[in-house]
Amino acid sequence: MKINKIEMFGIIFAAITLIADFIFFRGENIFYFIFAIALIICALPFLIYLIVGAGEEKEKEEMFLEFARDLVEGVKSGVPISKSIMNVKDKNYGALSAHIQKMANQISLGIPVKDSFDIFARDIGNTTIMRAVNLIKEAEQTGGNIEVILSSVADSISTIEKLKKERESAIYSLVVQGYIIYLIFIIIVLVMQFKILPMTTGMTNLGTIGDVGLSTSSISAEDLSTPFLYLLITQGLFAGLIIGKLSSGSLKAGIKHSVILIIMAVIISTGAQLFV
C-alpha cells in the first residue's frame, strides 16, 4: 500500500506525540488520553483515504455508465466504436476523464481498441467496469453486434447502480442501529468500570467454609481500565466489519466503520478515565 505525504505526516506527528507522552506523562491518568489522541492522528488520514476512495469508486461506475451510453449513441448513428471514443474524449467524465483521454490517444496512435480497453480496465481496477469492458472488447473483436452489446452493458450497469442504491437505503437503518448498539455497549462498560467495580474495593476476607477461605482482592476502576479498553477495541473492530459487510457487501468497506468505532471507544474511554 502506497503512503502519501499526508498519511506520512500523520504517522510522524503521532510518533512524536507518543514519544512525548511516554517521556512526560507515563504513569499519569492523562497518559492514556494522549496515547489515544496520537493513535487517532495516525489513523485519521488513512480513514479519510478510505472514505474518499470509496467515493471515487462509486463515481467511476456512474461515469462509466455515462460513457457507455455516449458510445451507444455514437454506434447507433453508424460511427465505429474507435471513432466514437475519439469523439467523446474531451467530455467531462469526472474520475474517468484522464483514462478515457489516454485510451483515445492510444487509439489515435494505432493501438487496437481491444488492447486500449485492456489498459483502460487495468488502470481503473474496478470489478464492475472490468466485466463490462470484457464484454465490449469481445464483441468488438468477434464482430458481433456492438450496438446491442453496448446497450446491454449500459443497462446492466444501470441496474447494478439502482440495486446498490436500494440496498444502501434499505440497510441504512441497520447501520444506524449498529452504531447505537455500540454506543450503548460503551456506556455499559463505563458504568461497570466507574460505578459497579468501585463498590468491590476493599472487600477482603468475607469468611471461611471449613478450611477454605473466601476472599476478594481489592479492585479499583484503574485495575481493569486497560482490559475494558481492549474489550471495546475488539468489539469495535468486528462490529465495524459486520456493518460494512451488511451495507456494502464487503469486509473491506467495513474497515472505515471499524476505525470510526474504535476511535469513538478510545476517546470516550480514556476521556472518561481522565475526567470522571
Side-chain angles (χ1 to χ4, degrees), residues 183-196:
L183 284 173
I184 294 174
F185 179 73
I186 293 176
I187 294 172
I188 292 173
V189 169
L190 293 179
V191 170
M192 290 181 61
Q193 181 177 347
F194 295 103
K195 295 297 182 182
I196 298 177

Side-chain angles (χ1 to χ4, degrees), residues 76-182:
K76 281 183 178 180
S77 63
V79 179
I81 187 172
S82 57
K83 184 64 175 177
S84 297
I85 294 172
M86 297 291 294
N87 291 339
V88 300
K89 69 175 183 177
D90 294 325
K91 186 175 179 179
N92 183 16
Y93 290 106
L96 289 184
S97 294
H99 298 287
I100 293 174
Q101 290 175 358
K102 178 180 177 180
M103 182 167 58
N105 293 334
Q106 290 171 342
I107 293 173
S108 65
L109 293 174
I111 297 176
V113 174
K114 174 183 175 297
D115 295 336
S116 299
F117 268 120
D118 280 334
I119 297 172
F120 174 79
R122 186 171 61 249
D123 289 345
I124 294 174
N126 182 279
T127 303
T128 302
I129 294 178
M130 290 179 71
R131 291 173 181 171
V133 166
N134 286 333
L135 290 175
I136 294 174
K137 70 180 185 180
E138 289 299 329
E140 194 275 337
Q141 185 180 14
T142 58
N145 192 333
I146 191 67
E147 178 183 337
V148 175
I149 296 296
L150 285 173
S151 297
S152 299
V153 167
D155 292 339
S156 176
I157 296 175
S158 178
T159 301
I160 291 173
E161 290 299 315
K162 289 179 180 179
L163 290 175
K164 284 183 177 180
K165 291 179 180 179
E166 290 177 358
R167 180 178 182 177
E168 290 176 357
S169 176
I171 210 72
Y172 177 77
S173 60
L174 291 178
V175 174
V176 174
Q177 289 176 18
Y179 276 82
I180 293 175
I181 291 172
Y182 186 68

Side-chain angles (χ1 to χ4, degrees), residues 177-253:
Q177 289 176 18
Y179 276 82
I180 293 175
I181 291 172
Y182 186 68
L183 284 173
I184 294 174
F185 179 73
I186 293 176
I187 294 172
I188 292 173
V189 169
L190 293 179
V191 170
M192 290 181 61
Q193 181 177 347
F194 295 103
K195 295 297 182 182
I196 298 177
L197 287 179
M199 296 180 183
T200 66
T201 301
M203 294 176 59
T204 58
N205 296 327
L206 296 181
T208 61
I209 300 179
D211 295 331
V212 180
L214 297 179
S215 65
T216 303
S217 300
S218 178
I219 302 174
S220 65
E222 290 78 9
D223 294 331
L224 291 179
S225 59
T226 301
F228 274 143
L229 180 59
Y230 291 157
L231 175 63
L232 291 174
I233 291 174
T234 303
Q235 176 70 12
L237 172 64
F238 291 103
L241 293 177
I242 292 173
I243 290 173
K245 184 65 176 179
L246 289 174
S247 60
S248 303
S250 68
L251 292 176
K252 182 179 178 181

Side-chain angles (χ1 to χ4, degrees), residues 47-76:
L47 176 61
I48 294 173
Y49 171 79
L50 287 174
I51 296 174
V52 172
E56 288 181 352
E57 290 298 312
K58 185 176 181 180
E59 181 188 3
K60 286 178 181 178
E61 293 179 2
E62 292 175 351
M63 289 297 100
F64 185 78
L65 174 60
E66 185 69 20
F67 174 61
R69 286 172 173 168
D70 290 340
L71 291 184
V72 170
E73 294 299 321
V75 172
K76 281 183 178 180

